[in-house]
Amino acid sequence: AQKVTQAQTEISVVEKEDVTLDCVYETRDTTYYLFWYKQPPSGELVFLIRRNSFDEQNEISGRYSWNFQKSTSSFNFTITASQVVDSAVYFCALSEHQGGSEKLVFGKGTKLTVNP
Amino acid sequence: DAGVIQSPRHEVTEMGQEVTLRCKPISGHDYLFWYRQTMMRGLELLIYFNNNVPIDDSGMPEDRFSAKMPNASFSTLKIQPSEPRDSAVYFCASSTLNRQGRYGYTFGSGTRLTVV
């Protein structure tokens, strides 16, 4: 069965600190996709990134970066120079790849609080 | 593009009443998903459709829950009779993988259901 573990339930940092959110996954599929979503206090789920299992290149988008390591089944997310607006719950998710559809299995989420 | 539209945003109902949640997916998306978010269980997939046909309803908790997709632009999730343990945020999402390989997986803003 597929499983996503986000061991950090809550993290609190001071503005401008760097912070890394951990994500470890389990799957027997050779083709799969990994996601990160942000859920701000307003409640919506905001898509951040989707990465397929064949692409282990790290990705950077502004202050966000992702480190995908197949060898350790991890897909960690780093926010550089955190800001108060980054405060949210962040979810890592894994998909079962069935044609064009992707059923997402979510981790429990990490609540990030960035203090001024 | 208006995104995935869910209604109502909030619903408060009495135990035993029927509740209907509605979703309008993004035009052109051929997959539609219903997820439920609770504190205890996190985000979990209830059911998903492909081209209006239910593909996997293994996540539907029990017979009190039913979902339909009568056409490509509308889906409903019905709970009858509702119980307090059904209180949760229900998210609808739609997705597609087009010929250019561009991928979209978008969540609606959710419906917060409270059963008293």
Side-chain angles (χ1 to χ4, degrees), chain B residues 8-80:
Chain B
R9 288 297 307 275
H10 302 274
E11 176 80 39
V12 180
T13 190
E14 291 185 349
M15 183 173 63
Q17 295 298 307
E18 177 180 295
V19 176
T20 300
L21 311 181
R22 297 172 176 80
C23 175
K24 176 179 168 54
I26 290 175
S27 177
H29 280 195
D30 49 356
Y31 287 87
L32 184 138
F33 306 81
W34 283 99
Y35 288 86
R36 178 172 68 174
Q37 184 177 30
T38 62
M39 289 295 293
M40 291 296 294
R41 299 174 67 88
L43 275 156
E44 52 182 348
L45 178 69
L46 299 178
I47 185 171
Y48 80 94
F49 297 82
N50 175 220
N51 292 322
N52 314 337
V53 176
I55 303 299
D56 184 348
D57 65 355
S58 58
M60 296 285 263
E62 48 197 275
D63 292 345
R64 298 184 298 105
F65 285 69
S66 63
K68 294 182 179 179
M69 193 165 185
N71 57 62
S73 59
F74 184 64
S75 176
T76 60
L77 178 67
K78 187 176 293 186
I79 308 172
Q80 166 63 21

Side-chain angles (χ1 to χ4, degrees), chain A:
Chain A
Q2 300 199 330
K3 185 179 177 182
V4 176
T5 301
Q6 294 180 254
Q8 305 149 308
T9 306
E10 291 192 39
I11 299 176
S12 182
V13 299
V14 177
E15 208 170 16
K16 297 185 182 177
E17 283 186 28
D18 298 348
V19 57
T20 296
L21 309 182
D22 298 333
C23 173
V24 174
Y25 62 91
E26 296 176 26
T27 181
R28 292 183 180 176
D29 292 345
T30 55
T31 301
Y32 54 89
Y33 293 80
L34 295 162
F35 299 74
W36 276 95
Y37 281 86
K38 174 182 180 180
Q39 188 173 41
S42 52
E44 71 270 27
L45 285 163
V46 179
F47 169 82
L48 296 178
I49 190 171
R50 172 183 181 260
R51 173 55 54 85
N52 76 56
S53 54
F54 298 108
D55 181 3
E56 289 193 67
Q57 274 193 329
N58 291 333
E59 182 156 341
I60 298 175
S61 176
R63 295 184 297 106
Y64 295 170
S65 62
W66 290 269
N67 182 284
F68 177 28
Q69 293 199 351
K70 239 174 162 176
S71 59
T72 56
S73 298
S74 65
F75 187 45
N76 296 337
F77 172 34
T78 297
I79 302 174
T80 303
S82 60
Q83 300 175 2
V84 173
V85 293
D86 296 327
S87 296
V89 180
Y90 290 86
F91 291 95
C92 180
L94 170 70
S95 75
E96 294 180 3
H97 185 65
Q98 298 177 2
S101 111
E102 298 184 358
K103 300 162 51 175
L104 299 186
V105 174
F106 285 86
K108 295 294 188 185
T110 297
K111 182 178 181 181
L112 173 65
T113 302
V114 181
N115 299 297

Side-chain angles (χ1 to χ4, degrees), chain B residues 55-115:
Chain B
I55 303 299
D56 184 348
D57 65 355
S58 58
M60 296 285 263
E62 48 197 275
D63 292 345
R64 298 184 298 105
F65 285 69
S66 63
K68 294 182 179 179
M69 193 165 185
N71 57 62
S73 59
F74 184 64
S75 176
T76 60
L77 178 67
K78 187 176 293 186
I79 308 172
Q80 166 63 21
S82 58
E83 297 182 0
R85 59 192 169 121
D86 302 330
S87 298
V89 180
Y90 292 82
F91 287 100
C92 176
S94 68
S95 77
T96 193
L97 182 64
N98 64 23
R99 293 176 187 172
Q100 291 75 37
R102 293 189 63 184
Y103 176 81
Y105 200 123
T106 305
F107 282 81
S109 299
T111 294
R112 181 175 295 277
L113 173 65
T114 303
V115 183

